[in-house]
Amino acid sequence: MSDWRDFGPDTLSPPLRAALVVFARHGYHGASIRMIAEEAGLSVPGLYHHYRSKQAILAALVDTAMDELFEHSEAAVEDAGGDPVARFENLVESLARFHMARSDQAFVASTEMRSMDPGVRDHHIAQRDSQQAMLEDTIRAGVDSGDFACEHPEDAARAISSLCVSISSWYRPDGPLTADDVVARHLHFARGMVGAGPGRRGR
Amino acid sequence: MSDWRDFGPDTLSPPLRAALVVFARHGYHGASIRMIAEEAGLSVPGLYHHYRSKQAILAALVDTAMDELFEHSEAAVEDAGGDPVARFENLVESLARFHMARSDQAFVASTEMRSMDPGVRDHHIAQRDSQQAMLEDTIRAGVDSGDFACEHPEDAARAISSLCVSISSWYRPDGPLTADDVVARHLHFARGMVGAGPGRRGR
């Protein structure tokens, strides 16, 4: 990856991009294979050639998003080197940027948990948990190094993840805040949540 | 209201409670008037006697929740008297408790924004904005009094609201954390987010 901060245009295949549009607009249960095929400019059998069911499309869509988030998050942490605070901050930044760049995918993944078959849901929860565990690890490392004062790293990791997820519900590229503004403010909030003190690192 | 911390059992009418169950399980678009009527133990004409449409049911359900939240929030702030920090903390606590006690209603309100007719959605957004403005006011008052160090009260209010909303997606009454644990941790996070310092007020 050239730059973990840069998400660029999404890399979805045409059927998955069509499904994203239809799911975001009508919800999974309100969407039909026919609607997705029409949006993708495919015939219904053509769509079935790629995916065996609406459920398989939902699974592929959510998987693609989680893979992308995980890849950027790993690169963000690696880029920070050994400093616990920088690892934490880069990881929060990658979460915030993902939820701005991929807001529709994040919205579908979080609102359609109830629509996932048990196997698909379990896999998605495991991916989300591992993402949250990565954040928890950086918080624990910051506590160990004396940079953070945080009694409940697990709860802080969940809270910061939730906060970053919620960005996808209101952020608009043409809104009053730039992506960099959103990142700066959420880094500030996240530092406050782990007891890092607002002024540290001169931000 | 006897105690703003106590939400008690919900006060939904049988058709609204039935609609909540059906919307939470299938989504608005996947729900039918027939499914709601069956869940409520009513005939379809019987349900139409109460509500003229599925959209009217969604509007009534969301309104009921927002009215209840607003009532508890106003009582919480009033109960705090004139102290800005106590007003902020009580308001955050009422938000957190609401999202534990009314998690299904909060889930439906946030995931079904896209399903609301424009008039219904605008009304809901206005209610949410006024709730957030109440929180922003308490943060500004705390900044003015020198208790908080917060450069962007509007963003902090949105972030803290979002964080409290997210509680409804994971909190379970039979889970490892009690409601009081959840409140204490979120008060701690919220204080960190407005630069109040973790140790203040001896919590």
Side-chain angles (χ1 to χ4, degrees), chain B residues 23-75:
Chain B
F23 290 161
R25 192 178 301 150
H26 302 283
Y28 179 82
H29 285 294
S32 67
I33 285 283
R34 178 169 300 280
M35 287 157 79
I36 298 170
E38 272 173 20
E39 179 74 31
L42 291 169
S43 66
V44 169
L47 182 61
Y48 275 123
H49 175 76
H50 294 287
Y51 294 100
R52 71 184 185 286
S53 64
K54 192 169 73 159
Q55 184 66 211
I57 295 175
L58 177 62
L61 191 58
V62 170
D63 257 15
T64 304
M66 293 305 288
D67 286 350
E68 198 181 9
L69 172 59
F70 192 73
E71 210 187 314
H72 282 253
S73 294
E74 286 221 300

Side-chain angles (χ1 to χ4, degrees), chain A residues 26 29 107 152 155 185, chain B residues 26 29 107 114 152 155 185:
Chain A
H26 302 283
H29 286 294
F107 178 78
H152 302 289
D155 297 309
R185 284 162 206 210
Chain B
H26 302 283
H29 285 294
F107 177 77
R114 64 185 164 194
H152 303 290
D155 297 309
R185 285 163 206 209

Side-chain angles (χ1 to χ4, degrees), chain A residues 23-27 29-30 107 110-112 114 149 152 155-156 158-159 162-163 166 170 177 185 188-189 192-193, chain B residues 23-27 29-30 107 110-112 114 149 152 155-156 158-159 162-163 166 170 177 185 188-189 192-193:
Chain A
F23 289 161
R25 193 180 299 149
H26 302 283
H29 286 294
F107 178 78
S110 70
T111 56
E112 299 298 359
R114 65 186 161 193
H152 302 289
D155 297 309
R158 176 167 51 200
S162 298
L163 181 60
S166 74
W170 60 265
L177 297 181
R185 284 162 206 210
H188 183 81
F189 296 140
M193 292 164 84
Chain B
F23 290 161
R25 192 178 301 150
H26 302 283
H29 285 294
F107 177 77
S110 71
T111 56
E112 299 298 358
R114 64 185 164 194
H152 303 290
D155 297 309
R158 176 169 52 202
S162 298
L163 181 60
S166 74
W170 59 264
L177 297 181
R185 285 163 206 209
H188 182 82
F189 295 139
M193 291 164 84

Side-chain angles (χ1 to χ4, degrees), chain B residues 44-160:
Chain B
V44 169
L47 182 61
Y48 275 123
H49 175 76
H50 294 287
Y51 294 100
R52 71 184 185 286
S53 64
K54 192 169 73 159
Q55 184 66 211
I57 295 175
L58 177 62
L61 191 58
V62 170
D63 257 15
T64 304
M66 293 305 288
D67 286 350
E68 198 181 9
L69 172 59
F70 192 73
E71 210 187 314
H72 282 253
S73 294
E74 286 221 300
V77 171
E78 198 175 317
D79 186 35
D83 178 51
V85 178
R87 291 169 77 88
F88 169 76
E89 294 190 345
N90 278 12
L91 191 48
V92 173
E93 179 168 352
S94 73
L95 266 169
R97 290 198 187 275
F98 171 83
H99 285 96
M100 287 185 275
R102 301 291 181 261
S103 56
D104 281 354
Q105 290 176 67
F107 177 77
V108 167
S110 71
T111 56
E112 299 298 358
M113 287 273 289
R114 64 185 164 194
S115 310
M116 295 175 194
D117 287 349
V120 173
R121 183 166 48 222
D122 289 349
H123 179 60
H124 176 56
I125 290 173
Q127 287 173 317
R128 222 187 41 184
D129 286 352
S130 98
Q131 182 72 35
Q132 220 159 282
M134 207 194 292
L135 185 58
E136 188 183 331
D137 286 347
T138 69
I139 298 171
R140 287 188 192 282
V143 170
D144 290 344
S145 67
D147 288 297
F148 300 154
C150 178
E151 267 181 70
H152 303 290
E154 186 184 346
D155 297 309
R158 176 169 52 202
I160 294 168

Side-chain angles (χ1 to χ4, degrees), chain A residues 164-188:
Chain A
C164 291
V165 170
S166 74
I167 297 172
S168 62
S169 71
W170 60 265
Y171 171 77
R172 297 292 171 266
D174 57 353
L177 297 181
T178 66
D180 289 343
D181 289 336
V182 173
V183 166
R185 284 162 206 210
H186 284 79
L187 280 177
H188 183 81

